[in-house]
Amino acid sequence: MDAQGRGRADNIDPADQWVLNPNTGEYELRLSPSAAQPPVPGPRRPSPRDGGAATAGRTRQTAGEARQTAGETRQATGEARQPSRARGTDVPAPRSARRRGAEPEAPQGRRASRRPVKKKSTAKKALLWTGGSMAFVLVAVTAAGYLYIKHLNDNITSISDDGASTGGFRKDEAINILLIGTDKRTGQGNEGYGDAGSAGHADTTILLHVSKDRSNATALSIPRDLIVDIPDCPTQQEDGSRKVIPGSEGVRFNTSLGQDDRTPSCTMRTVTELTGITPDDFMVADFNAVKTLTEAVGGVEVCLAKDIDDPDSHLKLSKGTHNISGEQALAFVRTRHSVGFGGDLSRIGLQQQFLSALMRKLKGNDTLTSPTKMVKLAEAGTKALTVDDKLDSIGKLKDLGLELGKLNPKNLTFTTVPVVDNPAEKVKSTVVLNKEKAPAVFDAIRNDVSFTEVKKKQKAAKDAQAARLKGPKAPASEVRVRILNGGAETGSAQAVLSWLQNEEGVTKSENAGNAPAALSRTTLEYAPDQAAQARRLAALMGLSGAALKPGKSVTNSQGLPAMTLTLGKDFKGAGVSLTPSAKAPDVDKSTADKVKCAS
């Protein structure tokens, strides 16, 4: 029984099974859910109108179409064509048409027997056009982006860190970047600045510390005229060989670069010797960097409390606020005779104000939302900077930039290494470390202490560290620990072992030699079931909660589980407390969110 016959058997009007689809203008066979479904279509019967192209038993199928032959119904998903005949029966008209006395128009001739060609909708055409265009644009942008990134990579100049760094910054740790501005003359228009014969000394040096949680940062300026000891510096030569440049005692800090062929890695070693902080990376910029970077962002805003006319730096500005860039910006960071006491320390204040203004501009919407400025900035930055070989690609610089971009300017503090005039000089031209104040500043940075108000998330982290010290403590006789030297003075591990065993009763302890890598801070790693032992050892040694590292135990020489105590560079001696101050020292400082007028 064909479809119409089944319809009659089920008391269904065949005309109701053919419905006009308003979207296609064609009739579609729609069976009710209770109606029997048509059988699987078989091969199409040959027809004279096929022009002999089709033969019996041959099947022709086109995706998205439905064909119906005598006694068969063919349906394809989403489409059905209007059949011309069904076993000699005309397609019934819709009930509404029969009520009006109208009949469906009979097919006429060969043209009428063909299936109507379905036109693609305007929406589909638009989607296809947009999709194709977008694919082309994406390919073009990707190719252009690759070429531009390659171009930026080619702009970058890098030199070896000579093993003086930590091996590069890490996203999950505090970051210490050494920023060095040299007095080397490069580029057109710099003939009037600096020493014509200078190899490029460390004229301006800032140790930028970014907290582990990225909630705050400290920019510590190191005076160029500070008297320091420069250590021996293993240095890679241009031909790939290595040479140890001998150190010097009691010399100006700025000679840690350029003098005797010293490279930035030597400045890095000098900073570590001075502060106890090992930088992760360095960036070096010359006079051109100040000019090109300020021009790229459209200038920065600075403020003066009085008129300045300095013929040496070529700076002439009136009292008040000014937008400076290019040559004028360079003159601003170089002037010293017309501000403060006319020395390098006064100039440091101007440089800190300038960097604060630059950061505000970089974080401002008018820079971040301007493709033109961002491209100029990328060009200027990659051309102006020399970086260590751990930052030698645009990808690594981007990652660093993203970490620095998390900072809020109001939590970036600028301060200077506390110094006093050199008592050995009658005519004061150099300074020496203030031994009362400087160590506290270095300790605060080493221990990741914020120089601005502690934020909530930083407070939460410190509360979690403090909680590690709370709870029962095991007897000293039950504490089992291996001691490693991870950067402390030679013999420190043995000294602690003797002190623990002979004076504190920690008899289950042993000297395990040197640690695989040096650490800036002493740590105690322990398994969860050793927490009571860790609290006892922390109480004996004066370890802070930050020094306690929940982890896993190790096996000691007797094959028993033990904790691991690694003495870092902050270790001061057996029995000397290692609990750092949670409060930053009281020093002169400013924050990057405020404009401070230079006087």
Side-chain angles (χ1 to χ4, degrees), residues 446-447 487 519-522 566-573 578:
R446 273 199 305 269
N447 294 311
L519 301 178
S520 60
R521 299 176 62 184
T522 297
T566 305
L567 305 177
K569 295 179 180 178
D570 62 337
F571 179 73
K572 299 179 175 64
L578 287 170

Side-chain angles (χ1 to χ4, degrees), residues 478-557:
E478 294 181 8
V479 175
R480 188 179 288 110
V481 61
R482 296 173 71 246
I483 306 168
L484 298 173
N485 191 329
E489 292 184 7
T490 303
S492 293
Q494 185 58 43
V496 171
L497 177 67
S498 299
W499 173 71
L500 287 175
Q501 290 184 341
N502 299 328
E503 297 186 32
E504 302 298 336
V506 184
T507 55
K508 297 177 181 178
S509 52
E510 62 182 40
N511 183 352
N514 292 326
L519 301 178
S520 60
R521 299 176 62 184
T522 297
T523 61
L524 176 62
E525 184 176 2
Y526 59 96
D529 60 350
Q530 296 172 318
Q533 295 183 46
R535 285 191 284 266
R536 172 58 64 189
L537 190 59
L540 294 174
M541 296 191 63
L543 297 176
S544 67
L548 271 60
K549 304 293 182 185
K552 59 183 180 180
S553 63
V554 293
T555 302
N556 65 10
S557 58

Side-chain angles (χ1 to χ4, degrees), residues 207-222:
L207 178 62
L208 176 64
H209 171 83
V210 185
S211 68
K212 183 176 180 178
D213 64 4
R214 308 296 185 256
S215 68
N216 64 90
T218 303
L220 180 67
S221 294
I222 303 175

Side-chain angles (χ1 to χ4, degrees), residues 456-476:
K456 289 182 179 180
K457 63 179 179 178
Q458 189 181 37
K459 184 178 184 302
K462 291 186 179 298
D463 289 345
Q465 294 170 358
R468 298 170 191 166
L469 299 173
K470 297 178 181 179
K473 301 179 180 66

Side-chain angles (χ1 to χ4, degrees), residues 43-261:
R44 181 186 176 198
R45 294 180 180 180
S47 169
R49 282 180 293 186
D50 291 334
T55 59
R58 180 178 180 184
T59 301
R60 290 187 178 180
Q61 209 165 359
T62 303
E65 299 183 85
R67 297 178 180 175
Q68 180 170 344
T69 61
E72 298 173 331
T73 301
R74 294 189 178 183
Q75 276 185 292
T77 304
E79 289 190 77
R81 75 175 184 87
Q82 179 181 354
S84 60
R85 306 280 294 177
R87 292 194 177 185
T89 304
D90 290 339
V91 176
R95 177 175 294 180
S96 60
R98 288 188 288 115
R99 284 174 179 168
R100 294 192 303 267
E103 293 293 332
E105 184 179 347
Q108 300 293 328
R110 179 181 178 89
R111 180 178 298 276
S113 68
R114 294 178 180 173
R115 298 188 309 277
V117 178
K118 185 176 179 182
K119 295 183 179 181
K120 293 178 180 177
S121 68
T122 303
K124 285 187 176 180
K125 285 182 178 180
L127 285 173
L128 287 173
W129 174 255
T130 304
S133 300
M134 185 59 68
F136 176 80
V137 170
L138 287 175
V139 170
V141 169
T142 301
Y146 169 77
L147 293 175
Y148 188 63
I149 289 174
K150 185 178 184 300
H151 164 71
L152 292 178
N153 278 328
D154 291 341
N155 284 348
I156 298 171
T157 300
S158 67
I159 55 179
S160 176
D161 70 348
D162 296 314
S165 75
T166 62
F169 81 94
R170 287 172 286 276
K171 294 182 180 180
D172 56 346
E173 296 291 338
I175 298 175
N176 293 295
I177 305 293
L178 191 63
L179 308 174
I180 307 172
T182 75
D183 56 1
K184 185 177 181 178
R185 290 184 182 180
T186 61
Q188 189 174 9
N190 288 328
E191 293 80 6
Y193 303 118
D195 181 2
S198 174
H201 294 123
D203 195 53
T204 301
T205 305
I206 295 176
L207 178 62
L208 176 64
H209 171 83
V210 185
S211 68
K212 183 176 180 178
D213 64 4
R214 308 296 185 256
S215 68
N216 64 90
T218 303
L220 180 67
S221 294
I222 303 175
R224 68 171 191 176
D225 297 326
L226 175 63
I227 298 299
V228 297
D229 293 336
I230 299 176
D232 292 344
C233 298
T235 307
Q236 181 175 304
Q237 305 299 297
E238 291 186 2
D239 60 3
S241 63
R242 295 185 68 82
K243 172 185 176 182
V244 177
I245 300 175
S248 302
E249 294 183 356
V251 295
R252 293 176 189 251
F253 176 86
N254 69 338
T255 60
S256 63
L257 176 65
Q259 198 82 9
D260 300 325
D261 296 327

